[in-house]
């Protein structure tokens, strides 16, 4: 009987069910598109905007880590997911602000430029949705409940 309750607890802690699958799919799309974009930019035009293109590669890496960690269950993967999504949120806010206030450093757009304007602002909304999903699906004792 203990095995069943352990299985039920493990299932309750997964982040890859229901709306989580859609979230993972969107992260996977961004991981692929950001990786392809960064790879192309670095290979063909790196000297034109090295900072922007390196940040594109960093964004791609963050999306890959977020995709994989959201798809996995367990406390460690939860923590990796949380860290990746927080880094993504900070990245999109910082790069978004810098691309507006220091446009000289960003002559070409990145995924996070102008808060993800080139991607319909999805890069700005995605980490907020990701954090909300992670909060709802957190393992017991991982993050204190509000209230």
């Amino acid at each position: 009987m203990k095995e069943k309750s352990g299985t039920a607890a493990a299932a309750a802690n997964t982040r890859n069910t229901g709306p989580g699958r859609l979230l993972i799919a969107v992260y996977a799309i961004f991981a692929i598109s950001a990786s392809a974009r960064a790879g192309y930019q670095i290979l063909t035009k790196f000297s034109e905007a090295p900072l922007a293109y390196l940040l594109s590669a960093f964004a791609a890496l963050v999306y890959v880590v977020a995709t994989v960690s959201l798809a996995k269950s367990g406390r460690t993967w939860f923590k990796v997911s949380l860290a990746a999504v927080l880094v993504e949120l900070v990245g999109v806010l910082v790069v978004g602000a810098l691309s507006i206030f220091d446009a000289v450093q960003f002559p070409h757009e990145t995924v996070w430029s102008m808060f993800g304007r080139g991607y319909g602002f999805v890069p700005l909304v995605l980490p907020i949705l990701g954090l909300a999903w992670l909060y709802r699906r957190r393992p017991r004792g991982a993050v204190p409940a509000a209230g």
Side-chain angles (χ1 to χ4, degrees), residues 54-71:
L54 288 174
L55 285 171
S56 281
F58 178 72
L61 178 63
V62 170
Y63 287 124
V64 168
V65 171
T67 301
V68 171
S69 62
L70 284 166

Side-chain angles (χ1 to χ4, degrees), residues 73-98:
S73 61
R75 282 173 123 36
T76 301
W77 287 112
F78 172 83
K79 291 175 185 178
V80 172
S81 295
L82 186 60
V85 175
L86 283 170
V87 167
E88 175 194 6
L89 180 60
V90 170
V92 76
L93 292 174
V94 170
V95 172
L98 287 174

Side-chain angles (χ1 to χ4, degrees), residues 100-123:
I100 292 171
F101 297 113
D102 191 8
V104 172
Q105 293 296 321
F106 295 90
H108 298 252
E109 285 199 13
T110 72
V111 176
W112 293 341
S113 293
M114 306 284 190
F115 305 104
R117 180 180 70 180
Y119 290 86
F121 298 101
V122 173

Side-chain angles (χ1 to χ4, degrees), residues 117-141:
R117 180 180 70 180
Y119 290 86
F121 298 101
V122 173
L124 179 61
V125 175
L126 191 58
I128 295 166
L129 294 175
L131 288 172
W133 180 250
L134 286 169
Y135 181 77
R136 289 182 49 136
R137 302 297 292 195
R138 67 195 178 277
R140 291 179 196 237

